[in-house]
C-alpha cells in the first residue's frame, strides 16, 4: 500500500515539475527593423527601438518569429545562413510594395557566373519555411537567381520584379502576387520546387511566363 501511495505521489511531483517548462515556453515574437531610423544596438522588440539591419534581426530571431520591415531596401545576400536563418521558420512583413523592397541576390549578378547557380542567393540555405508579405521582391535578368535550398517559400501580397529560378526545395506558394517579367524572359522556373501553387496571381509578360524545367 505504501509503495502505491509513494508511486502516486511521485507521479504528481513529476507532473508539477513539468509545469514550469510548459509555462515558460517562448511565444513567437515580432522583431522590428528600420533601415533609416534603426540601430543595431537596440533590442528590436519595440516599434520605437528597431534594428537597422535585417541581419541583426535574423540573428536574434527564433523559429516562428515575424520580422517587421520598415520603409527601405533589404537583403541578406552574402550573409552566412548558418548563424542566421538555418533551421528557422521566419516571416518577413513589409509596409507595402511601394515602401518596402527585398533584393534577391547581388544587385548586379556576376557575369562570370551566368548559367550557374552561383548567381543565386544562399542566405536561406537550410531554412524551414520562409514567408514574404506586403513588399516588392527584386531579382534580375540572369538565369539561376533565387533563394538556394530553403525548404518552403511563401509569397503573399507581393510584387516580384525580374526572373527567378530557385524557391522552396519542397514547395513554393504564391498568393495575390504580381509577376513583372523581364522583356522576353520568364517570370520564374520550376527549377527546384517539386510543388508550386499560385492563387490569384497576375503575370505581366511579353510571351513567356513559367518554364517547367
Amino acid at each position: 500500500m505504501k509503495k502505491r501511495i509513494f508511486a502516486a505521489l511521485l507521479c504528481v511531483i513529476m507532473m508539477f515539475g513539468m509545469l514550469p517548462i510548459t509555462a515558460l515556453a517562448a511565444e513567437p515574437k515580432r522583431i522590428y527593423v528600420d533601415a533609416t531610423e534603426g540601430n543595431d544596438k537596440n533590442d528590436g522588440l519595440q516599434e520605437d527601438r528597431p534594428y537597422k539591419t535585417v541581419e541583426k534581426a535574423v540573428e536574434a530571431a527564433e523559429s516562428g518569429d515575424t520580422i517587421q520591415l520598415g520603409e527601405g531596401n533589404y537583403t541578406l545576400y552574402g550573409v552566412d545562413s548558418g548563424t542566421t536563418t538555418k533551421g528557422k521558420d521566419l516571416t518577413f512583413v513589409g509596409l507595402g510594395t511601394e515602401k518596402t523592397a527585398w533584393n534577391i541576390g547581388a544587385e548586379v549578378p556576376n557575369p562570370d557566373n551566368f548559367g550557374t547557380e552561383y548567381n543565386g542567393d544562399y542566405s536561406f540555405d537550410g531554412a524551414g519555411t520562409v514567408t514574404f508579405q506586403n513588399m516588392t521582391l527584386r531579382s534580375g535578368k540572369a538565369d539561376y537567381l533565387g533563394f538556394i535550398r530553403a525548404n518552403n517559400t511563401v509569397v503573399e501580397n507581393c510584387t516580384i520584379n525580374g526572373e527567378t529560378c530557385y524557391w522552396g526545395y519542397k514547395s513554393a506558394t504564391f498568393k495575390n502576387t504580381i509577376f513583372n517579367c523581364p522583356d522576353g524572359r520568364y517570370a520564374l522556373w520550376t527549377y527546384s520546387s517539386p510543388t508550386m501553387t499560385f492563387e490569384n496571381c497576375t503575370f505581366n509578360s511579353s510571351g513567356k511566363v513559367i518554364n517547367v524545367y
Side-chain angles (χ1 to χ4, degrees), residues 78-147:
V79 174
D80 183 6
S81 68
T83 57
T84 54
T85 62
K86 190 172 184 177
K88 298 178 182 179
D89 299 332
L90 297 171
T91 297
F92 300 87
V93 181
L95 297 180
T97 57
E98 299 298 320
K99 294 184 176 181
T100 305
W102 187 287
N103 295 325
I104 303 173
E107 185 174 353
V108 180
N110 185 348
D112 292 338
N113 293 334
F114 282 5
T116 75
E117 71 176 36
Y118 296 104
N119 268 317
D121 190 329
Y122 288 81
S123 56
F124 292 103
D125 186 357
T129 297
V130 181
T131 301
F132 297 94
Q133 298 175 341
N134 306 328
M135 68 182 76
T136 292
L137 298 166
R138 295 172 174 166
S139 187
K141 297 181 180 180
D143 291 338
Y144 301 101
L145 295 173
F147 298 116

Side-chain angles (χ1 to χ4, degrees), residues 43-96:
D43 60 19
L45 297 178
Q46 302 173 60
E47 192 171 2
D48 60 353
R49 291 184 56 79
Y51 290 126
K52 183 176 182 64
T53 65
V54 70
E55 178 179 357
K56 186 68 175 179
V58 293
E59 285 178 350
E62 296 178 347
S63 186
D65 287 350
T66 295
I67 298 172
Q68 177 68 58
L69 303 175
E71 188 169 352
N73 299 316
Y74 300 88
T75 188
L76 282 173
Y77 181 73
V79 174
D80 183 6
S81 68
T83 57
T84 54
T85 62
K86 190 172 184 177
K88 298 178 182 179
D89 299 332
L90 297 171
T91 297
F92 300 87
V93 181
L95 297 180

